[in-house]
Amino acid sequence: MSALFILIGISILVAASFLAAFLWSVKSGQFDDDYTPSVRMLFDDTKQIPTKKIQTKTQQKLND
Amino acid sequence: MYLLLNENDLCVYYDFDKNPGIKAKGRFVSERFAYLEDEATIKKLVQFSNGSQTNVTFSLPQMHCSSCIFLLENLHRINPGVIKSQTNFQRKEVFIIFDPHQISLRKVVELLAFIGYEPNISLKDTVSKRTSTFNRQRIYKIGVAGFCFANIMMLSFPEYFSSGNIEQNGLKETFTWLNLGLSLPVLFYSASGFFVSAWKGLRQQFLNIDAPIALAIVVTYARSYYEIITGTGAGYLDSGTGIVFFMLIGRWFQDKTYDSFSFDRDYLSYFPLGVSIIKDGIEKNIPVTQLQKGNRIIIRNEEMIPADAILLSGNANVDYSFVSGENTPVQKQPGQLIYAGGKQIGSVIELEVAGEASQSYITQLWNNDVFHNKKNGEKSFIHPWSRYFTLALFAVAATTLVFWLINDTSKILPAVSSVLIVACPCSLLLSATFTYGNMLRLFGKNKLYLKNASVMESLAKIDTIVFDKTGTITQNQTSLVSYEGTPLTDKELVAVRNVARQSSHPLSKIIAVWLQTGDDKIIPVDQFNEYTGKGLQAIVNGIDVKMGSASFMHQFNPGFASYDTGSHVHVMMNNVHMGRFNVSNQYRPGVEQLVDELKNKGLVLSVLSGDNDAERDNLKKIFGAAADLNFNQTPQQKLDFIEALQKDKKNVLMLGDGLNDAGALMQSNVGIAVSDNTAQFSPACDAILAGENVQLLEKFIAFAKSGKTIVTASFILSILYNIAGLSFAVQGILSPMVAAILMPASSISIVLLVTALSSISARAKGL
């Protein structure tokens, strides 16, 4: 019968770990914004373009 | 814009939305952001800086689609000085981390402005620092309560099915003691908000809705702990934690606010941060707060005049639309006083400051008491109900006490405490929170954004509606032009257009635009003469064209008999009067129908306008002869008008848009700011309504009224549940199982009922 006590202990531990995970996710800001991430994930990762010229061009434009 | 994106290989931007639709604004004047070089200003704006990286959050009201998110989160590709940028779409904010060695704060802002998202940096950001208003505490509380509730429920199951007789040695005690342990965080952490609120209410000698809830929680826990500690029973911890959990969810649902809107704006939110002054011939940037009387300031195109000032030089064309709602810019001559809040349109002007920014004409309104007293917290009709409920509850408990005192003293404690446990007002509270929460959502879907649920109750009681004219029932920016008189030939029309184009008078500009055709040839105009405030004269293709006011016509043709009732421009060709152009306001579509609907409901309507009475006839047509139409109203007069109505025991709804309505909006029972761009400026108010949905006003009021009916109906249902529960309780036979079933069942059924009813009602009202 002592198995029951162990099982209850485990079940509460499992539930408590879910609670901890939930609290952690709130704390890390995952619940702060429930819209933007859903859009963000749809953007494709395009290749980074390593040209320097481009930066200077834009820079010039900004300085105009 | 496209070039910039192309260079940085962000062309894919255009693939996300067919109409990304942001405009790279041409007016990209670097000096505008010069104040961002100022150390003190930078310090106030940035949230964190350690030398190698700086964090800053900007509010970008222009953000409106998924493409915006894409562009803003790829800032680092446009400028490598930006380390990371992250948007929050709902709050319309962007959080930027940048390297101050590579790019300055000013450059970041200029970059944002260049791609079309000029951050909304106002004086307020520097006076009081922007803080994150997002409340994570509430979510923690719900999480903890949910966890404890579910586990207590699970551990209580054996109790329900064996009616308390668990054969296993020690198992029953283990369960109940575990329950006790699990309930502690709910009592001390999750439920703390109810105790605090109830205590605050009691201290002000006011029995709010949280008082009976706090009482029920205390009694439930006290009795349960007593039973567990003495080993006499399992207590009611399952229901106890359950109600806390459900009520927290209810609160969360109701208090979901519109993060990107600001309802409590004062003049600080409107004023620019920095201004260019000229000192000893050198132009320099200073924060507006340091502006002093006698300073000479430079205002460029599209910049706001931060303080009342005297025009020294330049061609001032001041757009007061934001202050007065007047949609045509006002021309000023050197030496004239220009009030703060206007926007210069056109070339650079130089002014001498006549007073500090905080003492200008427009900010004086904020010194009125209305802005310092919070709205006299109109008591919700739920509060009296909760008071009756509490009183009735005590009466039942007292009767039970007396009854068992006579009949069976051993049953006093169980019976009385279970009366207090089962008669929890949570279904009462939930019905209101969920009805109003759902209604707020439905209003929001129709672009009426209410500040909070109590606005809805005030809206249901409205019997008088006061409209502002410009921008509220008329459309800003657009004017209706018509021509009456002898029809003009094509040649004559071209002549009129070319003469009108020569002038910078607002009316001439409107007519020139209206007459624009496909082949827009520019024809040379001879002997052009402009008589300020009167009219124009020129010779085009041999035709002597005169345009202007009736009195101007009169000068040339004494026999001409006509007078002006509004904005008219008469045309004379070779000294023969041809006809006149009528420039009038364009009313929002559906206004006439709305007025009819409102009048049929018996509401009293009036109009307050800061404009002249040119539109009196048109307004009379719409509002009927009996309506109270007031013109040339100052902001203070508008406020007084509302106050006078309220003295007559009227519940006033004010619709306005400009800063000049701010006082009236504040004074009225419900102040709705009408805005064509809900993300942008709107004065302090109770609700923000998108301009295109003004015609739905009658439906909004009807829907708000139905809200009260729904809440009342669900109150009755919850009272029936309470009677059922109480009938067990007064006999002292309330088993934990009955309590555990009755409470969630009543709560959930009421939540479902009110949500369904409010959605159906919205559909029935056509929202």
Side-chain angles (χ1 to χ4, degrees), chain B residues 268-298:
Chain B
L268 289 176
S269 321
Y270 300 96
F271 276 49
L273 251 176
V275 61
S276 309
I277 65 163
I278 291 196
K279 210 168 186 181
D280 309 324
I282 303 160
E283 192 181 328
K284 179 177 119 168
N285 252 279
I286 62 158
V288 163
T289 41
Q290 286 172 24
L291 201 61
Q292 280 167 351
K293 195 178 167 178
N295 281 150
R296 304 184 98 183
I297 55 173
I298 297 276

mmCIF file of all heavy atoms in Angstrom, chain B residues 268-298:
data_model
loop_
_atom_site.group_PDB
_atom_site.id
_atom_site.type_symbol
_atom_site.label_atom_id
_atom_site.label_comp_id
_atom_site.label_asym_id
_atom_site.label_seq_id
_atom_site.Cartn_x
_atom_site.Cartn_y
_atom_site.Cartn_z
ATOM 1 N N LEU B 268 1.397 67.085 -22.223
ATOM 2 C CA LEU B 268 2.784 66.641 -22.325
ATOM 3 C C LEU B 268 2.978 65.629 -23.453
ATOM 4 O O LEU B 268 4.031 65.560 -24.068
ATOM 5 C CB LEU B 268 3.223 66.012 -21.007
ATOM 6 C CG LEU B 268 3.411 66.955 -19.829
ATOM 7 C CD1 LEU B 268 3.757 66.161 -18.593
ATOM 8 C CD2 LEU B 268 4.483 67.970 -20.118
ATOM 9 N N SER B 269 1.911 64.846 -23.703
ATOM 10 C CA SER B 269 2.028 63.815 -24.728
ATOM 11 C C SER B 269 2.069 64.403 -26.120
ATOM 12 O O SER B 269 2.421 63.734 -27.069
ATOM 13 C CB SER B 269 0.845 62.868 -24.667
ATOM 14 O OG SER B 269 0.497 62.608 -23.358
ATOM 15 N N TYR B 270 1.640 65.639 -26.270
ATOM 16 C CA TYR B 270 1.512 66.198 -27.604
ATOM 17 C C TYR B 270 2.706 67.034 -28.001
ATOM 18 O O TYR B 270 2.936 67.278 -29.165
ATOM 19 C CB TYR B 270 0.272 67.079 -27.692
ATOM 20 C CG TYR B 270 -0.982 66.331 -27.395
ATOM 21 C CD1 TYR B 270 -1.529 66.340 -26.129
ATOM 22 C CD2 TYR B 270 -1.604 65.604 -28.389
ATOM 23 C CE1 TYR B 270 -2.676 65.628 -25.855
ATOM 24 C CE2 TYR B 270 -2.750 64.899 -28.123
ATOM 25 C CZ TYR B 270 -3.290 64.913 -26.852
ATOM 26 O OH TYR B 270 -4.415 64.221 -26.586
ATOM 27 N N PHE B 271 3.409 67.511 -27.006
ATOM 28 C CA PHE B 271 4.428 68.491 -27.316
ATOM 29 C C PHE B 271 5.734 67.850 -27.732
ATOM 30 O O PHE B 271 6.090 66.786 -27.266
ATOM 31 C CB PHE B 271 4.614 69.421 -26.112
ATOM 32 C CG PHE B 271 3.619 70.522 -26.108
ATOM 33 C CD1 PHE B 271 2.285 70.225 -26.284
ATOM 34 C CD2 PHE B 271 3.987 71.833 -25.987
ATOM 35 C CE1 PHE B 271 1.341 71.227 -26.324
ATOM 36 C CE2 PHE B 271 3.060 72.844 -26.020
ATOM 37 C CZ PHE B 271 1.731 72.546 -26.178
ATOM 38 N N PRO B 272 6.439 68.513 -28.639
ATOM 39 C CA PRO B 272 7.726 67.973 -29.072
ATOM 40 C C PRO B 272 8.738 68.075 -27.941
ATOM 41 O O PRO B 272 8.549 68.813 -26.983
ATOM 42 C CB PRO B 272 8.110 68.878 -30.229
ATOM 43 C CG PRO B 272 7.410 70.166 -29.961
ATOM 44 C CD PRO B 272 6.154 69.811 -29.272
ATOM 45 N N LEU B 273 9.777 67.310 -28.061
ATOM 46 C CA LEU B 273 10.785 67.265 -27.004
ATOM 47 C C LEU B 273 11.763 68.420 -27.089
ATOM 48 O O LEU B 273 12.134 69.018 -26.098
ATOM 49 C CB LEU B 273 11.578 65.981 -27.178
ATOM 50 C CG LEU B 273 11.355 64.918 -26.158
ATOM 51 C CD1 LEU B 273 12.137 63.692 -26.520
ATOM 52 C CD2 LEU B 273 11.772 65.413 -24.790
ATOM 53 N N GLY B 274 12.191 68.665 -28.301
ATOM 54 C CA GLY B 274 13.222 69.674 -28.451
ATOM 55 C C GLY B 274 12.802 70.753 -29.410
ATOM 56 O O GLY B 274 11.853 70.596 -30.167
ATOM 57 N N VAL B 275 13.476 71.863 -29.352
ATOM 58 C CA VAL B 275 13.160 72.954 -30.244
ATOM 59 C C VAL B 275 14.460 73.683 -30.574
ATOM 60 O O VAL B 275 15.386 73.729 -29.761
ATOM 61 C CB VAL B 275 12.095 73.883 -29.611
ATOM 62 C CG1 VAL B 275 12.591 74.491 -28.323
ATOM 63 C CG2 VAL B 275 11.635 74.958 -30.566
ATOM 64 N N SER B 276 14.543 74.207 -31.810
ATOM 65 C CA SER B 276 15.749 74.944 -32.212
ATOM 66 C C SER B 276 15.608 76.388 -31.791
ATOM 67 O O SER B 276 14.616 77.033 -32.117
ATOM 68 C CB SER B 276 15.925 74.904 -33.724
ATOM 69 O OG SER B 276 15.854 73.597 -34.179
ATOM 70 N N ILE B 277 16.575 76.899 -31.071
ATOM 71 C CA ILE B 277 16.540 78.316 -30.733
ATOM 72 C C ILE B 277 17.759 79.000 -31.351
ATOM 73 O O ILE B 277 18.763 78.364 -31.671
ATOM 74 C CB ILE B 277 16.493 78.587 -29.211
ATOM 75 C CG1 ILE B 277 17.775 78.107 -28.528
ATOM 76 C CG2 ILE B 277 15.303 77.951 -28.578
ATOM 77 C CD1 ILE B 277 17.940 78.704 -27.147
ATOM 78 N N ILE B 278 17.626 80.296 -31.507
ATOM 79 C CA ILE B 278 18.754 81.065 -32.039
ATOM 80 C C ILE B 278 19.277 81.944 -30.924
ATOM 81 O O ILE B 278 18.530 82.727 -30.322
ATOM 82 C CB ILE B 278 18.319 81.925 -33.232
ATOM 83 C CG1 ILE B 278 17.997 81.012 -34.408
ATOM 84 C CG2 ILE B 278 19.406 82.911 -33.596
ATOM 85 C CD1 ILE B 278 17.925 81.715 -35.718
ATOM 86 N N LYS B 279 20.529 81.743 -30.601
ATOM 87 C CA LYS B 279 21.136 82.558 -29.563
ATOM 88 C C LYS B 279 22.425 83.120 -30.118
ATOM 89 O O LYS B 279 23.262 82.368 -30.607
ATOM 90 C CB LYS B 279 21.405 81.702 -28.321
ATOM 91 C CG LYS B 279 21.326 82.496 -27.043
ATOM 92 C CD LYS B 279 21.309 81.577 -25.851
ATOM 93 C CE LYS B 279 21.089 82.393 -24.594
ATOM 94 N NZ LYS B 279 21.085 81.559 -23.415
ATOM 95 N N ASP B 280 22.563 84.404 -30.077
ATOM 96 C CA ASP B 280 23.748 85.093 -30.607
ATOM 97 C C ASP B 280 24.051 84.635 -32.036
ATOM 98 O O ASP B 280 25.200 84.369 -32.389
ATOM 99 C CB ASP B 280 24.983 84.833 -29.726
ATOM 100 C CG ASP B 280 24.682 85.128 -28.270
ATOM 101 O OD1 ASP B 280 23.928 86.082 -28.018
ATOM 102 O OD2 ASP B 280 25.182 84.394 -27.389
ATOM 103 N N GLY B 281 23.008 84.478 -32.804
ATOM 104 C CA GLY B 281 23.197 84.122 -34.203
ATOM 105 C C GLY B 281 23.524 82.660 -34.449
ATOM 106 O O GLY B 281 23.704 82.240 -35.578
ATOM 107 N N ILE B 282 23.582 81.862 -33.372
ATOM 108 C CA ILE B 282 23.890 80.439 -33.560
ATOM 109 C C ILE B 282 22.644 79.610 -33.256
ATOM 110 O O ILE B 282 21.976 79.836 -32.250
ATOM 111 C CB ILE B 282 25.041 80.004 -32.622
ATOM 112 C CG1 ILE B 282 26.264 80.874 -32.892
ATOM 113 C CG2 ILE B 282 25.368 78.524 -32.822
ATOM 114 C CD1 ILE B 282 27.256 80.892 -31.772
ATOM 115 N N GLU B 283 22.364 78.656 -34.141
ATOM 116 C CA GLU B 283 21.210 77.797 -33.913
ATOM 117 C C GLU B 283 21.593 76.655 -32.983
ATOM 118 O O GLU B 283 22.641 76.037 -33.137
ATOM 119 C CB GLU B 283 20.712 77.234 -35.242
ATOM 120 C CG GLU B 283 19.369 76.586 -35.107
ATOM 121 C CD GLU B 283 18.867 76.007 -36.420
ATOM 122 O OE1 GLU B 283 19.188 76.569 -37.473
ATOM 123 O OE2 GLU B 283 18.168 74.998 -36.355
ATOM 124 N N LYS B 284 20.744 76.393 -32.045
ATOM 125 C CA LYS B 284 21.083 75.411 -31.028
ATOM 126 C C LYS B 284 19.795 74.700 -30.613
ATOM 127 O O LYS B 284 18.710 75.277 -30.693
ATOM 128 C CB LYS B 284 21.702 76.184 -29.858
ATOM 129 C CG LYS B 284 22.108 75.399 -28.664
ATOM 130 C CD LYS B 284 22.771 76.326 -27.663
ATOM 131 C CE LYS B 284 21.965 76.296 -26.398
ATOM 132 N NZ LYS B 284 22.581 76.908 -25.259
ATOM 133 N N ASN B 285 19.929 73.446 -30.181
ATOM 134 C CA ASN B 285 18.752 72.699 -29.764
ATOM 135 C C ASN B 285 18.629 72.626 -28.259
ATOM 136 O O ASN B 285 19.602 72.288 -27.584
ATOM 137 C CB ASN B 285 18.835 71.280 -30.311
ATOM 138 C CG ASN B 285 17.854 71.091 -31.405
ATOM 139 O OD1 ASN B 285 16.678 70.854 -31.147
ATOM 140 N ND2 ASN B 285 18.316 71.253 -32.635
ATOM 141 N N ILE B 286 17.452 72.939 -27.744
ATOM 142 C CA ILE B 286 17.253 72.801 -26.306
ATOM 143 C C ILE B 286 15.952 72.034 -26.060
ATOM 144 O O ILE B 286 15.059 72.032 -26.894
ATOM 145 C CB ILE B 286 17.201 74.167 -25.581
ATOM 146 C CG1 ILE B 286 16.014 75.002 -26.089
ATOM 147 C CG2 ILE B 286 18.500 74.925 -25.707
ATOM 148 C CD1 ILE B 286 15.582 76.073 -25.116
ATOM 149 N N PRO B 287 15.843 71.367 -24.906
ATOM 150 C CA PRO B 287 14.587 70.720 -24.561
ATOM 151 C C PRO B 287 13.495 71.786 -24.365
ATOM 152 O O PRO B 287 13.792 72.891 -23.892
ATOM 153 C CB PRO B 287 14.885 70.008 -23.239
ATOM 154 C CG PRO B 287 16.367 69.949 -23.147
ATOM 155 C CD PRO B 287 16.882 71.120 -23.896
ATOM 156 N N VAL B 288 12.277 71.423 -24.727
ATOM 157 C CA VAL B 288 11.176 72.379 -24.635
ATOM 158 C C VAL B 288 10.996 72.909 -23.219
ATOM 159 O O VAL B 288 10.627 74.064 -23.012
ATOM 160 C CB VAL B 288 9.880 71.704 -25.144
ATOM 161 C CG1 VAL B 288 8.658 72.462 -24.696
ATOM 162 C CG2 VAL B 288 9.904 71.627 -26.654
ATOM 163 N N THR B 289 11.291 72.063 -22.225
ATOM 164 C CA THR B 289 11.093 72.478 -20.841
ATOM 165 C C THR B 289 11.977 73.659 -20.453
ATOM 166 O O THR B 289 11.689 74.365 -19.496
ATOM 167 C CB THR B 289 11.397 71.316 -19.881
ATOM 168 O OG1 THR B 289 12.564 70.641 -20.360
ATOM 169 C CG2 THR B 289 10.254 70.346 -19.795
ATOM 170 N N GLN B 290 13.074 73.838 -21.197
ATOM 171 C CA GLN B 290 13.970 74.945 -20.860
ATOM 172 C C GLN B 290 13.655 76.213 -21.644
ATOM 173 O O GLN B 290 14.356 77.208 -21.516
ATOM 174 C CB GLN B 290 15.417 74.529 -21.127
ATOM 175 C CG GLN B 290 15.942 73.547 -20.082
ATOM 176 C CD GLN B 290 17.287 73.006 -20.477
ATOM 177 O OE1 GLN B 290 18.016 73.627 -21.233
ATOM 178 N NE2 GLN B 290 17.609 71.835 -19.954
ATOM 179 N N LEU B 291 12.615 76.148 -22.434
ATOM 180 C CA LEU B 291 12.252 77.290 -23.250
ATOM 181 C C LEU B 291 11.777 78.435 -22.351
ATOM 182 O O LEU B 291 10.987 78.240 -21.440
ATOM 183 C CB LEU B 291 11.113 76.865 -24.189
ATOM 184 C CG LEU B 291 10.892 77.692 -25.438
ATOM 185 C CD1 LEU B 291 12.122 77.653 -26.321
ATOM 186 C CD2 LEU B 291 9.700 77.138 -26.194
ATOM 187 N N GLN B 292 12.305 79.639 -22.635
ATOM 188 C CA GLN B 292 11.933 80.779 -21.793
ATOM 189 C C GLN B 292 11.350 81.889 -22.628
ATOM 190 O O GLN B 292 11.558 81.958 -23.838
ATOM 191 C CB GLN B 292 13.171 81.304 -21.065
ATOM 192 C CG GLN B 292 13.505 80.477 -19.851
ATOM 193 C CD GLN B 292 14.877 80.797 -19.336
ATOM 194 O OE1 GLN B 292 15.644 81.514 -19.962
ATOM 195 N NE2 GLN B 292 15.179 80.256 -18.171
ATOM 196 N N LYS B 293 10.653 82.747 -21.952
ATOM 197 C CA LYS B 293 10.093 83.917 -22.606
ATOM 198 C C LYS B 293 11.222 84.733 -23.237
ATOM 199 O O LYS B 293 12.256 84.936 -22.614
ATOM 200 C CB LYS B 293 9.354 84.764 -21.564
ATOM 201 C CG LYS B 293 8.457 85.792 -22.190
ATOM 202 C CD LYS B 293 7.708 86.584 -21.145
ATOM 203 C CE LYS B 293 7.101 87.797 -21.837
ATOM 204 N NZ LYS B 293 6.309 88.612 -20.962
ATOM 205 N N GLY B 294 11.025 85.155 -24.474
ATOM 206 C CA GLY B 294 12.036 85.966 -25.128
ATOM 207 C C GLY B 294 12.972 85.182 -26.029
ATOM 208 O O GLY B 294 13.685 85.758 -26.829
ATOM 209 N N ASN B 295 12.959 83.842 -25.899
ATOM 210 C CA ASN B 295 13.791 83.021 -26.794
ATOM 211 C C ASN B 295 13.318 83.178 -28.231
ATOM 212 O O ASN B 295 12.120 83.325 -28.487
ATOM 213 C CB ASN B 295 13.678 81.532 -26.410
ATOM 214 C CG ASN B 295 14.527 81.177 -25.208
ATOM 215 O OD1 ASN B 295 14.188 80.292 -24.458
ATOM 216 N ND2 ASN B 295 15.618 81.888 -25.014
ATOM 217 N N ARG B 296 14.258 83.114 -29.151
ATOM 218 C CA ARG B 296 13.868 83.131 -30.565
ATOM 219 C C ARG B 296 13.951 81.698 -31.069
ATOM 220 O O ARG B 296 14.982 81.038 -30.921
ATOM 221 C CB ARG B 296 14.811 84.031 -31.362
ATOM 222 C CG ARG B 296 14.866 85.434 -30.816
ATOM 223 C CD ARG B 296 15.732 86.283 -31.694
ATOM 224 N NE ARG B 296 14.887 87.031 -32.615
ATOM 225 C CZ ARG B 296 15.385 87.827 -33.562
ATOM 226 N NH1 ARG B 296 16.668 87.912 -33.747
ATOM 227 N NH2 ARG B 296 14.585 88.517 -34.335
ATOM 228 N N ILE B 297 12.859 81.230 -31.611
ATOM 229 C CA ILE B 297 12.846 79.832 -32.047
ATOM 230 C C ILE B 297 12.628 79.725 -33.548
ATOM 231 O O ILE B 297 12.073 80.619 -34.179
ATOM 232 C CB ILE B 297 11.770 78.991 -31.303
ATOM 233 C CG1 ILE B 297 10.382 79.622 -31.454
ATOM 234 C CG2 ILE B 297 12.119 78.834 -29.852
ATOM 235 C CD1 ILE B 297 9.270 78.768 -30.898
ATOM 236 N N ILE B 298 13.089 78.603 -34.082
ATOM 237 C CA ILE B 298 12.959 78.309 -35.506
ATOM 238 C C ILE B 298 12.001 77.129 -35.641
ATOM 239 O O ILE B 298 12.175 76.103 -34.986
ATOM 240 C CB ILE B 298 14.330 77.872 -36.082
ATOM 241 C CG1 ILE B 298 15.339 78.993 -35.976
ATOM 242 C CG2 ILE B 298 14.178 77.352 -37.492
ATOM 243 C CD1 ILE B 298 15.281 79.978 -37.085
#
